[in-house]
């Protein structure tokens, strides 16, 4: 259960809130007390002064993660991090989970018209590889697969259902961070479905997306025509027909967000795909812990040097070398953090 | 989905593997009608290809018509070694005899496997069968038309017969020469790119300093040192020509002797070129011919790798070679077959139908050859004997040496003449 869920009661109505830092807008159950932005974790959400009306939700993809899978995914994520912050533990992350739905547009359309394409067809040729040695030449047949390009034309009349298109400007980034969603699990939305969760508001609207969706539909048509032609490779495809009966449906996709707190008290957001459990976030190293390791190694090196010096062996210089290596933890932590900071923030 | 009233020109509907998608693909080139008969539009007589006019000609009324084609030369379409082509070239020559129906007189003709053009023995009409073989790429796509006419070649043949002292003096006049019989012979041409990496022990001369105790000094000398070296070469082989005729049917050595053909004269195939001609389809399948071509490629690659070492001293060479972009063409090349009677024997010869280059067998006048070889051997021997006698009396050692040299030279020359005469009996 999430922290927020403890104070939750039966839902009344969701209200529009925004994050003053990242400007994301959410619909949050009205009975919830002020919560931090689930995606940036940098500020507490504020009620929108001029709440815009979000498009009605029609389809919902329910979360499909069981607690075991979630625990395993978070444990894997927290393992293998260099000098992890004390708070960066799977159980802490699990305690702070918030269910966030993010919007997508699902488009239905009929494509009707003429198409023109060049497709690639695989064919095989017999080639040879030969070797010459003391015993003379030996030859071996090699079957090579080559691609022959051929023009195809035709007509297409097909219906396309639930073509996924973005409702957020960060849609593509989010998919690249959390992986794809399976739309087959979608069903009709009811208010109860989101009564205990945050719903991110869309930033893109159908009128802005028409060209992009037509491109997506054309790609699907291209794949269908290629398949219908028995070809293996698409080379070029043009659809000259009409996009009829375009219908836009707003769907919401589940995601879990959580965070951990670093040595300085700053929060670092983590997001989890609500269907597959793919985890994304920056796993920062604790510089405090790295310094501690450095200090311990330094002390050990000094002690070793003194012991060897008093033993009057020629090895007493070795700890000087070790002194150079004691800084390895802090250098490693700095490199690690630099790499993590270069990862894109949560989309 | 309804078939639309309009259509895509040059395209035809093909089966679709998905509902709601109608597919049109380019219309494949239709096969030519299987058997073509050639009748004169003026008199109804029989047309045949006439080398002199380089077109169709009626042997009765003199009607002529040019052959419509295009010169493509070495840019003629070539094909890859697809599994289909390789398999088809080996499978499509299983039937020994072919049947052909003569539309002119109704006769059913049986003619040998591989013969593409035929003349009905009953009515004399000329026919060209284009249905062999079924795979289109294995039908001739290009040919080299005859450009040397039989008339223009006659003096050349006479000259050839009269050439050479070791042949009978009467050969030129007494030989009864047959009519030149034009025939298109099947050839495969191959092109391929190769990448070969080699490894070998390469010997290189190095200067070595050593101490010479006899002269009490340091000297230098050249020493051959062997080291393992490696390298790689790439090479493009173009238009390696291999004839596709059964060696039992046509003398391959004689055929090689009238090569090369200039392939830049290749024209797109038209059946008109074959009317009234003998045409032989290939008997050596594609794969077998490619293996013969590959022997040339191996030899050349071996030589190129040796050259790549940059040394004349190479041993234990190993080569790893891969082929790429292998292409082949099936072409018909023009040859005149003929022969002549001399005495009781028949001797054959053939001519390159493009260049007129001639090769054939000529009888050798062995009486004349024996006489000459004996004389060539005996005269120097006699001279050597004289030299020996003179040197014995005068004590001139130089003369003795000269006589010995003469004797040896005479024997060598007479042997060479004998060998040459033996070879002249084969193909010249």
């Amino acid at each position: 259960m999430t922290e927020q869920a403890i104070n939750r009661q039966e839902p009344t109505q969701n209200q529009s809130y925004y994050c003053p830092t990242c400007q994301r807008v959410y619909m949050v159950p009205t009975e919830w007390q002020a919560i931090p932005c689930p995606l940036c974790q940098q500020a507490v959400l504020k009620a929108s002064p001029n709440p815009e009306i979000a498009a009605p939700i029609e389809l919902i993809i329910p979360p499909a993660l069981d607690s075991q899978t979630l625990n395993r995914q978070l444990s894997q994520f927290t393992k293998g991090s260099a000098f992890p912050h004390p708070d960066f533990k799977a159980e802490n992350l699990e305690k702070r989970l918030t269910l966030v739905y993010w919007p997508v547009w699902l488009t239905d359309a009929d494509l009707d018209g003429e198409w023109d394409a060049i497709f690639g067809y695989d064919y095989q040729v017999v080639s040879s590889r030969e070797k010459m040695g003391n015993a003379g030449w030996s030859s071996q047949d090699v079957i090579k697969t080559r691609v022959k390009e051929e023009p195809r034309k035709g007509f297409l009349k097909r219906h396309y259902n639930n073509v996924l298109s973005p409702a957020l400007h960060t849609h593509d980034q989010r998919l690249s961070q959390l992986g794809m969603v399976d739309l087959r699990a979608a069903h009709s939305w009811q208010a109860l479905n989101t009564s205990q969760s945050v719903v991110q508001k869309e930033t893109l609207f159908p009128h802005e997306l028409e060209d992009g969706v037509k491109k997506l539909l054309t790609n699907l048509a291209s794949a269908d025509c290629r398949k219908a032609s028995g070809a293996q490779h698409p080379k070029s495809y043009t659809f000259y027909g009409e996009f009829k009966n375009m219908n836009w449906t707003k769907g919401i996709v589940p995601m879990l967000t959580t965070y951990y707190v670093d040595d300085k008290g700053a929060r670092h957001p983590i997001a989890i795909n609500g269907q597959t459990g793919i985890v994304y976030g920056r796993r920062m190293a604790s510089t405090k812990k790295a310094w501690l390791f450095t200090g311990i190694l330094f002390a050990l090196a000094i002690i070793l040097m003194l012991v060897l010096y008093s033993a009057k062996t020629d090895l007493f210089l070795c700890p000087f070398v070790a002194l150079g290596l004691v800084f390895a933890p802090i250098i490693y932590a700095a490199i690690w953090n630099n790499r993590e900071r270069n990862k894109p923030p949560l989309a | 989905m309804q078939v639309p009233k309009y259509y895509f020109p040059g395209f035809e509907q093909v089966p679709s593997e998905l509902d709601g998608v109608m597919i049109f693909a380019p219309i494949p080139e239709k096969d030519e009608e299987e058997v073509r008969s050639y009748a004169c539009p003026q008199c109804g007589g029989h047309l045949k290809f006439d080398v002199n006019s380089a077109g169709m000609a009626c042997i009765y009324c003199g009607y002529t018509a040019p052959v419509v084609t295009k010169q493509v030369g070495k840019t003629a379409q070539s094909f890859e070694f697809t599994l289909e082509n390789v398999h088809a070239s080996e499978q499509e020559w299983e039937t020994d005899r072919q049947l052909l129906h003569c539309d002119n007189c109704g006769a059913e003709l049986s003619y040998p496997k591989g013969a593409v053009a035929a003349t009905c023995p009953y009515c004399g009409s000329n026919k060209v069968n284009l249905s062999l073989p079924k795979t289109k790429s294995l039908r001739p796509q290009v040919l080299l038309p005859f450009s040397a006419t039989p008339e223009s070649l006659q003096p050349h043949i006479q000259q050839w017969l009269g050439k050479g002292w070791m042949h009978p003096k009467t050969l030129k006049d007494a030989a009864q020469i047959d009519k030149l019989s034009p025939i298109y012979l099947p050839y495969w041409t191959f092109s391929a790119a190769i990448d070969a990496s080699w490894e070998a022990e390469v010997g290189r001369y190095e200067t070595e300093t050593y101490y010479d105790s006899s002269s009490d000094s340091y000297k230098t000398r050249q020493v051959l040192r062997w080291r393992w070296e490696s390298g790689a070469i790439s090479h493009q082989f173009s238009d390696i020509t291999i004839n596709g005729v059964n060696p039992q049917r046509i003398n391959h050595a004689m055929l090689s002797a009238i090569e090369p053909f200039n392939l830049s004269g290749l024209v797109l195939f038209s059946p008109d070129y074959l009317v009234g001609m003998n045409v032989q389809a290939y008997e050596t399948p594609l794969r077998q011919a490619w293996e013969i071509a590959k022997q040339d490629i191996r030899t050349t690659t071996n030589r190129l790798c040796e050259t790549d070492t940059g040394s004349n001293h190479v041993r234990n060479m190993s080569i790893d070679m891969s082929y790429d972009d292998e292409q082949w063409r099936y072409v018909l090349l023009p040859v005149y077959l003929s022969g002549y009677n001399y005495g009781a024997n028949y001797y054959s010869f053939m001519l390159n139908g493009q260049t007129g280059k001639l090769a054939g067998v000529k009888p050798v006048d062995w009486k004349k050859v024996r006489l000459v070889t004996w004389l060539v051997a005996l005269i120097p021997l006699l001279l050597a004997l004289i030299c020996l006698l003179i040197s014995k009396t005068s004590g001139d050692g130089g003369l003795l040496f000269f006589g010995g040299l003469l004797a040896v030279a005479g024997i060598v020359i007479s042997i060479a003449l004998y060998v040459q005469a033996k070879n002249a009996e084969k193909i010249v």
Side-chain angles (χ1 to χ4, degrees):
Chain A
M1 287 295 283
T2 63
E3 279 182 354
Q4 287 78 19
I6 298 165
N7 297 322
R8 281 174 201 159
Q9 295 166 2
E10 279 304 299
T12 48
Q13 201 179 352
N14 284 10
Q15 199 179 332
S16 179
Y17 281 83
Y18 79 101
C19 172
T21 304
C22 70
Q23 307 300 321
R24 288 184 179 97
V25 181
Y26 303 94
M27 301 303 290
V28 181
T30 47
E31 73 278 8
W32 284 19
Q33 293 172 1
I35 59 160
C37 174
L39 281 162
C40 78
Q41 299 287 349
Q42 300 305 307
V44 172
L45 295 182
K46 287 184 176 175
S48 295
N50 299 309
E52 296 163 25
I53 299 165
I57 303 164
E58 290 181 62
L59 288 172
I60 180 169
I61 297 160
L65 268 184
D66 58 63
S67 56
Q68 266 187 334
T69 313
L70 181 64
N71 187 269
R72 192 177 61 243
Q73 292 287 98
L74 287 173
S75 299
Q76 269 180 7
F77 183 71
T78 51
K79 266 181 206 167
S81 172
F83 308 108
H85 289 282
D87 189 52
F88 188 59
K89 287 177 182 158
E91 57 267 29
N92 290 342
L93 297 178
E94 221 168 326
K95 264 189 245 169
R96 296 163 189 158
L97 288 172
T98 303
L99 177 58
V100 179
Y101 284 99
W102 56 282
V104 291
W105 290 109
L106 301 168
T107 316
D108 301 339
D110 290 315
L111 268 67
D112 187 358
E114 195 179 312
W115 58 271
D116 189 338
I118 293 174
F119 293 135
Y121 290 82
D122 283 343
Y123 67 99
Q124 290 184 312
V125 294
V126 187
S127 187
S128 315
R129 190 180 178 90
E130 304 200 327
K131 287 185 180 188
M132 192 202 78
N134 292 332
W137 284 92
S138 62
S139 186
Q140 191 188 356
D141 278 356
V142 180
I143 305 292
K144 289 181 181 172
T145 300
R146 289 184 185 156
V147 179
K148 178 174 57 179
E149 289 181 12
E150 286 188 17
R152 292 287 183 272
K153 293 169 187 282
F155 298 94
L156 176 88
K157 191 170 189 174
R158 279 176 77 80
H159 177 76
Y160 291 91
N161 220 10
N162 284 346
V163 176
L164 181 70
S165 51
L168 295 173
H169 283 94
T170 54
H171 177 95
D172 291 339
Q173 281 170 277
R174 185 160 291 171
L175 286 183
S176 74
Q177 290 173 358
L178 296 180
M180 288 302 290
V181 287
D182 184 3
L183 297 175
R184 285 173 299 181
H187 62 73
S188 297
W189 174 83
Q190 289 174 338
L192 254 173
N193 294 137
T194 50
S195 62
Q196 295 300 307
S197 54
V198 176
V199 180
Q200 193 178 352
K201 192 177 170 296
E202 67 273 16
T203 58
L204 286 170
F205 299 92
H207 67 272
E208 299 171 272
L209 295 166
E210 206 167 306
D211 288 345
V213 169
K214 281 181 178 172
K215 207 173 168 184
L216 285 173
L217 286 163
T218 306
N219 287 345
L220 290 172
S222 166
D224 279 352
C225 291
R226 180 184 58 74
K227 196 176 162 193
S229 305
Q232 288 78 36
H233 309 276
K235 296 291 171 187
S236 69
Y237 182 86
T238 314
F239 177 70
Y240 300 106
E242 290 178 275
F243 296 84
K244 292 177 182 170
N245 308 323
M246 281 182 79
N247 181 40
W248 300 80
T249 305
K250 183 176 159 184
I252 50 174
V253 178
M255 163 174 89
L256 294 161
T257 63
T258 182
Y259 64 91
Y260 64 91
V261 182
D262 68 14
D263 298 332
K264 292 172 187 167
R267 290 179 172 195
H268 296 273
I270 305 289
I272 304 136
N273 185 316
Q275 282 185 306
T276 61
I278 293 172
V279 188
Y280 183 83
R282 289 172 173 165
R283 298 183 299 173
M284 305 303 287
S286 165
T287 45
K288 200 172 159 184
K289 206 181 256 182
W291 274 115
L292 183 68
F293 270 91
T294 299
I296 292 167
L297 288 175
F298 185 79
L300 286 173
I302 294 291
I303 292 164
L304 190 65
M305 189 170 68
L306 290 173
V307 169
L308 293 172
Y309 182 74
S310 59
K312 294 186 177 173
T313 67
D314 291 340
L315 295 170
F316 81 97
L317 284 174
C318 291
F320 283 108
V321 180
L323 273 177
L325 297 174
V326 298
F327 294 99
I330 191 64
I331 293 167
Y332 182 58
I335 293 168
W336 177 280
N337 280 346
N338 189 46
R339 198 184 66 190
E340 288 296 306
R341 268 187 217 104
N342 285 335
K343 277 165 75 171
L346 278 189
Chain B
M1 209 168 176
Q2 292 291 312
V3 177
K5 285 176 187 169
Y6 55 96
Y7 67 99
F8 301 102
F11 283 67
E12 66 178 4
Q13 193 175 355
V14 292
S16 169
E17 293 178 20
L18 220 59
D19 287 341
V21 184
M22 192 182 273
I23 305 162
F24 290 79
I27 299 169
E29 279 180 50
K30 283 189 178 150
D31 277 357
E32 304 273 355
E33 55 186 284
E34 289 194 350
V35 179
R36 275 194 192 183
S37 297
Y38 288 86
C40 174
Q42 259 178 207
C43 69
H46 307 309
L47 286 178
K48 62 176 279 190
F49 182 78
D50 179 40
V51 179
N52 292 308
S53 63
M56 308 289 294
C58 176
I59 51 176
Y60 302 107
C61 70
Y63 167 82
T64 57
V67 177
V68 181
T69 186
K70 186 183 167 192
Q71 185 164 337
V72 285
K74 291 187 176 184
T75 61
Q77 188 190 7
S78 54
F79 299 90
E80 292 177 295
F81 285 84
T82 60
L83 295 180
E84 182 201 7
N85 284 337
V86 172
H87 181 72
S89 84
E90 282 159 9
Q91 298 297 316
E92 294 193 358
W93 295 97
E94 286 173 350
T95 319
D96 281 343
R97 305 286 299 177
Q98 311 283 341
L99 279 177
L100 182 70
H101 178 78
C102 178
D103 295 332
N104 200 39
C105 68
E108 288 291 343
L109 311 176
S110 171
Y111 60 101
K113 177 179 84 168
V116 178
T119 300
C120 176
Y122 305 104
C123 69
S125 67
N126 293 316
K127 302 191 175 302
V128 177
N129 185 1
L130 300 169
S131 64
L132 292 172
K134 290 186 185 87
T135 306
K136 201 171 178 203
S137 58
L138 292 168
R139 297 176 193 174
Q141 304 288 324
V142 282
L143 60 74
L144 201 56
F146 279 89
S147 46
T149 62
E151 292 75 22
S152 69
L153 293 171
Q154 286 303 330
H156 184 44
I157 297 165
Q158 289 294 330
Q159 193 188 359
W160 173 73
L161 285 171
K163 209 166 90 180
W165 64 269
M166 53 185 70
H167 303 292
K169 204 178 174 182
T170 55
L171 181 62
K172 188 178 170 185
D173 301 320
Q176 294 172 324
I177 304 166
D178 277 355
K179 192 181 147 194
L180 294 185
S181 174
I183 182 168
Y184 279 108
L185 293 181
Y187 271 78
W188 300 101
T189 71
F190 296 101
S191 300
I194 60 112
D195 288 312
S197 55
W198 59 263
E199 197 175 59
E201 275 190 277
V202 181
R204 295 187 194 283
Y205 281 105
E206 289 177 5
T207 308
E208 185 185 71
T209 306
Y210 70 101
Y211 177 71
D212 182 16
S213 56
S214 59
S215 61
D216 192 22
S217 62
Y218 284 94
K219 290 184 175 172
T220 57
R221 64 183 169 198
Q222 294 286 305
V223 184
L224 185 64
R225 291 202 196 286
W226 292 91
R227 285 193 191 87
W228 280 100
E229 292 183 11
S230 60
I233 58 146
S234 297
H235 190 72
Q236 174 70 44
F237 290 89
S238 299
D239 291 321
I240 299 170
T241 311
I242 305 292
N243 81 64
V245 197
N246 186 338
Q248 289 172 342
R249 198 185 296 277
I250 283 180
N251 187 324
H252 276 206
M254 205 184 287
L255 205 50
S256 301
I258 62 163
E259 289 172 9
F261 291 90
N262 182 4
L263 297 182
S264 53
L266 286 172
V267 297
L268 286 179
F269 174 80
S270 164
D272 296 355
Y273 281 113
L274 311 187
V275 184
M277 297 273 181
N278 292 312
V279 186
Q280 179 64 47
Y282 72 85
E283 290 167 308
T284 308
L286 173 64
R287 197 70 191 273
Q288 204 177 315
W290 175 224
E291 285 305 320
I292 299 167
K294 281 208 283 191
Q295 285 169 13
D296 286 356
I297 291 177
R298 286 175 195 139
T299 310
T300 309
T301 303
N302 201 348
R303 185 173 43 78
L304 289 172
C305 287
E306 283 184 2
T307 309
D308 194 48
T309 61
S311 170
N312 291 326
H313 306 278
V314 180
R315 67 186 185 196
N316 294 324
M317 175 165 268
S318 62
I319 299 171
D320 191 345
M321 172 167 68
S322 61
Y323 289 77
D324 197 19
D325 198 23
E326 300 101 317
Q327 304 273 332
W328 59 269
R329 266 193 230 116
Y330 175 34
V331 300
L332 295 177
L333 301 183
V335 171
Y336 286 106
L337 301 179
S338 190
Y340 58 91
N341 284 298
Y342 181 74
N345 295 322
Y346 184 80
Y347 301 91
S348 59
F349 65 89
M350 58 176 79
L351 292 120
N352 184 318
Q354 184 193 31
T355 62
K357 193 175 176 189
L358 191 154
V361 182
K362 286 200 287 187
V364 171
D365 185 347
W366 281 108
K367 277 184 191 167
K368 199 197 291 178
V369 170
R370 274 188 212 108
L371 181 70
V372 171
T373 48
W374 274 107
L375 285 174
V376 168
L378 275 175
I379 293 169
L381 268 177
L382 283 172
L383 286 171
L385 201 65
I386 295 163
C387 289
L388 176 72
L389 292 170
I390 297 169
S391 68
K392 209 170 183 183
T393 52
S394 66
D396 187 352
L399 203 60
L400 182 66
F401 176 75
F402 177 71
L405 207 66
L406 264 179
V408 172
I411 292 165
V412 169
I413 292 168
S414 66
I415 292 171
L417 285 173
Y418 180 79
V419 171
Q420 197 186 350
K422 267 284 178 199
N423 287 336
E425 227 179 7
K426 294 172 190 168
I427 293 160
V428 287

